[in-house]
Amino acid sequence: MQIYDLIQKTRRLVPLSETEIYTLVEGFTKGEIPDYMMSAWLMAVCCQGLTAEETSALTMAMRDSGECLDLSTLGVPTVDKHSTGGIGDKTTLLVAPIVAACGGHVPKMSGRGLGFTGGTVDKLESIPGFCVDLPQADFMRITEEIGCCIISQSGELTPADKKIYALRNLTATVDSIPLICASIMSKKLALGASCVLLDVKYGHGAFMKTPEEAVLLADLMVSVGHQAGRECRALITDMNAPLGSCVGNALEIAEVIRILRGEERGRITELSLALSAQMLVLLGKGDVVECRKMAEEALTSGRALEKFAAMIAAQGGNAAVTEDLSLLPQAEVQLTVRAPESGFIREIQSEEVGLACLGLGAGRTADRAKIDPGAGVVLSRFVGDEVTKGDPLFTVHGSSEALCENAAQRLLQAYSYSEEYTEPPQMIYKIVE
Ligand code: URA
């Protein structure tokens, strides 16, 4: 089989067979197909798309490129959750203990941040001692005993995705619906949870810019999940404004703890409860109204906080952070910036907030680059709020005055104001079942 012919076929909208797709993925993973040929094929996919059958075959070929976990040995249904990435998105850290406190089991492998979006694993690593690289046996044991365990993506799972994603990042071929679907779903299927909840984001801080595009991606991912025999649902959610009040690793852990303690509530809490309810529905714990009530009770009773503390301790971290936030890394410099004008906040461009945090060292621009766990931003005012010139708007946390000043200038550009009240974006656009 000539790889040249496969590139030509995709370019000319001639569907590839399952065998041809497996040949491409296997050949590239083993290093037999050179980067330039795979790049050409990926670009053909970006421009011409793939059929649903081709996308499904690509997902399975990527899943089968490495090890697949067998979670059935736990003897209980398990639920995984995936977000397509957002600014300040710490929902995994809220839903995992909430669902565990309701008797569910959440085995979760998460990624590190790259570019302007943060990674759950980086956030957890800001807790002193927290270990994200656990052996599989410990991962299974902690999931069984506590109900949730979050570790970093194992290198043995989906090596094809690792290689293909790296190439996509270099060749402007990331934002393609079939490629994103195959990348995410191959990892979800290899992890082996019986149910999968997807949080597909749209807006200027997300891969999908419009809700319509996000629905297309969600439909495809849910259908690939069903074909592979998984219970699967997706929520289409807004990413036009940062999620929650904090962006940055330790700052987001502190926010999670304040929410679990019942000291804060907002859009992020509402979204987390909605996601938790859907995960509990997938696990067969009841209908959506009952499951939402269960999730709310787990949060307000403090049982979710207990689960979070238990998970931190089981993964080697200092669980005392749940009682004393000063044990988390703190930035040396904190710069509070005030509103330059009066009015209603019409928009806070989340991508700009992400980029400002990246500049502070809260994220990484290269794989494996070191990050500053204490850096980030705390927003004091949100979309829809009325501000008077001089009111505190946000506080920048960083390692130097210069870094904080730069970030502050960028952040100020992310805000726009209006004379009239603007309704904050609706959090959940649609549920795809
Ligand atoms: N997240 C992934 O894991 N893969 C993609 O292609 C995009 C987002």
Side-chain angles (χ1 to χ4, degrees):
M1 192 184 299
Q2 296 293 322
I3 303 305
Y4 178 96
D5 295 337
L6 304 187
I7 300 169
Q8 184 87 291
K9 273 187 167 179
T10 299
R11 223 191 83 198
R12 293 184 175 164
L13 291 167
V14 179
L16 301 186
S17 69
E18 190 180 352
T19 311
E20 287 170 326
I21 288 180
Y22 265 79
T23 302
L24 258 176
V25 172
E26 276 174 16
F28 180 63
T29 310
K30 287 184 187 150
E32 293 161 6
I33 295 175
D35 283 5
Y36 64 85
M37 289 199 121
M38 194 62 178
S39 306
W41 185 73
L42 291 168
M43 187 55 84
V45 174
C46 260
C47 298
Q48 303 290 46
L50 290 178
T51 63
E53 291 73 27
E54 288 178 291
T55 307
S56 181
L58 179 63
T59 309
M60 305 312 167
M62 286 166 66
R63 173 198 64 187
D64 296 340
S65 67
E67 194 192 334
C68 289
L69 283 194
D70 180 12
L71 294 174
S72 66
T73 55
L74 290 173
V76 285
T78 47
V79 62
D80 192 0
K81 173 241 166 209
H82 185 89
S83 151
T84 55
I87 312 300
D89 185 358
K90 69 275 295 171
T91 50
T92 292
L93 299 169
L94 291 162
V95 302
I98 291 174
V99 173
C102 297
H105 289 83
V106 189
K108 182 90 187 79
M109 283 192 187
S110 287
R112 291 182 188 281
L114 185 62
F116 64 81
T117 61
T120 300
V121 156
D122 295 317
K123 295 171 197 179
L124 283 169
E125 277 188 334
S126 70
I127 300 171
F130 196 97
C131 179
V132 293
D133 296 312
L134 292 180
Q136 211 168 295
D138 290 349
F139 177 52
M140 304 281 274
R141 179 183 52 76
I142 296 169
T143 304
E144 189 170 14
E145 288 175 6
I146 292 165
C148 55
C149 184
I150 307 174
I151 61 171
S152 90
Q153 178 80 48
S154 151
E156 315 294 315
L157 260 56
T158 58
D161 177 60
K162 210 167 179 204
K163 255 191 113 175
I164 294 172
Y165 196 75
L167 197 58
R168 286 168 61 207
N169 251 326
L170 297 174
T171 54
T173 51
V174 170
D175 57 348
S176 142
I177 286 180
L179 295 180
I180 294 175
C181 170
S183 166
I184 292 174
M185 290 310 289
S186 61
K187 288 181 283 214
K188 298 294 107 188
L189 298 180
L191 175 68
S194 39
C195 320
V196 181
L197 182 72
L198 302 158
D199 178 5
V200 181
K201 304 212 168 285
Y202 67 88
H204 41 61
F207 287 116
M208 300 294 114
K209 299 300 170 201
T210 64
E212 293 77 19
E213 277 180 325
V215 171
L216 285 179
L217 175 60
D219 276 339
L220 197 57
M221 290 200 288
V222 168
S223 114
V224 166
H226 286 162
Q227 279 171 50
R230 306 299 161 88
E231 290 285 335
C232 200
R233 282 184 177 204
L235 260 65
I236 312 295
T237 67
D238 177 81
M239 196 58 252
N240 279 308
L243 270 173
S245 58
C246 298
V247 184
N249 299 287
L251 292 170
E252 289 187 49
I253 293 287
E255 184 183 359
V256 164
I257 293 170
R258 287 194 299 271
I259 293 171
L260 292 175
R261 283 179 186 168
E263 295 164 7
E264 262 182 39
R265 199 166 169 133
R267 276 164 40 101
I268 182 94
T269 314
E270 296 311 320
L271 175 61
S272 301
L273 288 170
L275 292 167
S276 302
Q278 293 293 337
M279 289 165 80
L280 292 166
V281 171
L282 285 171
L283 287 173
K285 300 273 183 198
D287 65 27
V288 76
V289 176
E290 292 160 344
C291 288
R292 165 72 202 222
K293 246 184 168 166
M294 249 185 256
E296 179 83 49
E297 214 273 319
L299 178 67
T300 50
S301 63
R303 284 187 294 116
L305 177 66
E306 283 168 24
K307 284 286 176 193
F308 190 57
M311 182 186 82
I312 294 174
Q315 296 193 230
N318 183 0
V321 295
T322 58
E323 283 153 25
D324 181 358
L325 297 180
S326 72
L327 295 171
L328 289 166
Q330 318 277 332
E332 276 176 34
V333 180
Q334 296 185 10
L335 175 69
T336 296
V337 176
R338 292 171 186 281
E341 58 186 278
S342 299
F344 290 92
I345 300 177
R346 185 162 55 88
E347 191 177 47
I348 307 174
Q349 289 236 2
S350 41
E351 184 168 353
E352 283 303 308
V353 176
L355 288 167
C357 290
L358 187 63
L360 285 164
R364 56 173 71 76
T365 44
D367 201 19
R368 302 260 145 220
K370 229 172 126 43
I371 56 167
D372 177 352
V377 61
V378 180
L379 308 176
S380 321
R381 298 303 187 91
F382 306 94
V383 175
D385 285 356
E386 187 175 15
V387 289
T388 303
K389 187 175 174 182
D391 281 350
L393 205 53
F394 55 82
T395 303
V396 182
H397 294 235
S399 57
S400 73
E401 297 280 349
L403 279 175
C404 289
E405 271 298 337
N406 272 342
Q409 289 314 317
R410 179 151 213 164
L411 283 160
L412 281 169
Q413 306 301 318
Y415 283 70
S416 53
Y417 304 84
S418 61
E419 283 177 12
E420 274 149 37
Y421 171 72
T422 314
E423 189 77 38
Q426 190 186 334
M427 203 61 250
I428 299 170
Y429 174 76
K430 193 176 170 184
I431 299 173
V432 174
E433 294 182 19

